[in-house]
């Protein structure tokens, strides 16, 4: 797999999409810093030095849905954090990793659908981990939610974590290691009251289950709702 190591780029996901036009092989892009880090729902992802910003350009052989790849990556990152930082890692549906009640990692998976073969011609899996606390702390708008794995910078930590993430991810993605039961058992929302939006309206309910396809089952007085994407908020979450 070709590896691109960059001091700085706009976004490793965008970089991967640019090279996807000519590169048919899988690739790994890692940047020390992003100037336009992208989050889900059109948000930005804070990406100064001290974090891991990496994207995998993948060409799935079978008709793999990006939602599954996201879940595989979430389990892989959670395992990698535990193997290296020895901190218990939880998954907030769909794809955020929480440690000590703070978000330390976000995952953004983007796919390009090829109508010719009716499958994804490529998938870009972007992973951002807040490894070290930013020098001046996190910006005001995210400081209550965002956290880092370590207070101060130590040499070699980022590299070890990158290796572990890749090793755990490919054990699932290529070798078919089971991941859904673990995805569920690491959930920090099951059994909790949550808020979610549907067609622009806000609803609440209890997060009951996560299906084998990674969909969230929510229950409230109107019955069951199954969501395959979106964003939820935990009600009365004091973390
Ligand atoms: C989210 O939390 O909303 C998802 C954040 C994903 C961030 C990663 S960092 C590497 C890759 N490049 C990007 O621009 N975004 C993803």
């Amino acid at each position: 797999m070709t590896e691109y190591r960059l001091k700085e780029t706009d976004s490793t996901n965008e970089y991967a999409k640019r090279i996807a036009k000519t590169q048919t092989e899988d690739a790994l892009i890692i940047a020390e810093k992003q100037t336009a880090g992208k989050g889900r729902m059109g948000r930005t992802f804070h990406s100064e030095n001290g974090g891991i910003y990496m994207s995998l350009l993948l060409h799935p052989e079978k008709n793999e849905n990006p939602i599954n790849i996201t879940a595989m990556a979430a389990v892989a990152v959670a395992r990698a954090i535990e193997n290296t930082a020895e901190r218990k890692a939880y998954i907030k549906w769909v794809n955020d990793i929480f440690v000590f009640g703070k978000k330390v990692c976000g995952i953004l998976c983007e796919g390009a659908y090829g109508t010719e073969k009716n499958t994804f011609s490529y998938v870009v899996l972007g992973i951002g981990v807040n490894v070290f606390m930013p020098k001046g702390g996190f910006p005001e708008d995210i400081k209550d939610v965002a956290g880092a794995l370590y207070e101060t910078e130590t040499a070699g930590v980022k590299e070890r974590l990158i290796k572990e993430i890749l090793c755990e991810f490919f054990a699932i993605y290529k070798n078919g290691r089971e991941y859904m039961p673990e995805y569920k058992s690491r959930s920090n929302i099951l059994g909790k009251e949550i808020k979610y939006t549907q067609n622009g309206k806000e609803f609440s309910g209890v997060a009951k289950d996560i299906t084998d396809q990674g969909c969230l089952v929510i229950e409230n007085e109107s019955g069951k709702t199954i969501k395959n994407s979106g964003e939820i908020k935990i009600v009365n979450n004091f973390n």
Side-chain angles (χ1 to χ4, degrees), residues 4 16-25 57 59 122:
Y4 298 83
K17 286 195 258 175
R18 285 193 291 270
I19 62 169
K21 290 184 187 136
T22 50
Q23 169 144 351
T24 49
E25 298 285 301
L57 169 63
H59 302 84
Y122 69 82

Side-chain angles (χ1 to χ4, degrees), residues 11-13 34 37-40 45 54 103 106-108 126-128:
S11 147
T12 54
N13 269 30
Q34 297 183 120
K38 284 169 39 176
R40 290 175 68 234
F45 188 76
M54 61 191 266
K103 174 172 167 174
I107 298 167
L108 177 66
I127 300 173

Side-chain angles (χ1 to χ4, degrees), residues 1-16:
M1 187 163 58
T2 324
E3 201 173 308
Y4 298 83
R5 292 276 183 162
L6 313 166
K7 278 243 162 288
E8 183 181 306
T9 188
D10 50 351
S11 147
T12 54
N13 269 30
E14 290 305 313
Y15 192 96

Side-chain angles (χ1 to χ4, degrees), residues 9-14 29 34 36-47 52-55 95-96 103 105-110 124-129 231:
T9 188
D10 50 351
S11 147
T12 54
N13 269 30
E14 290 305 313
I29 301 103
Q34 297 183 120
K38 284 169 39 176
R40 290 175 68 234
M41 321 254 174
R43 284 189 296 244
T44 56
F45 188 76
H46 188 75
S47 308
I52 291 173
Y53 313 108
M54 61 191 266
S55 296
N95 56 4
D96 292 340
K103 174 172 167 174
C105 166
I107 298 167
L108 177 66
C109 199
E110 303 179 86
V124 173
L125 169 65
I127 300 173
V129 189
E231 182 129 289

Side-chain angles (χ1 to χ4, degrees), residues 30-31 45 50-54 127-131 158 161-162 165:
I30 302 176
F45 188 76
I52 291 173
Y53 313 108
M54 61 191 266
I127 300 173
V129 189
N130 305 326
V131 183
K158 276 193 346 186
L161 192 52
I162 291 169
I165 292 172

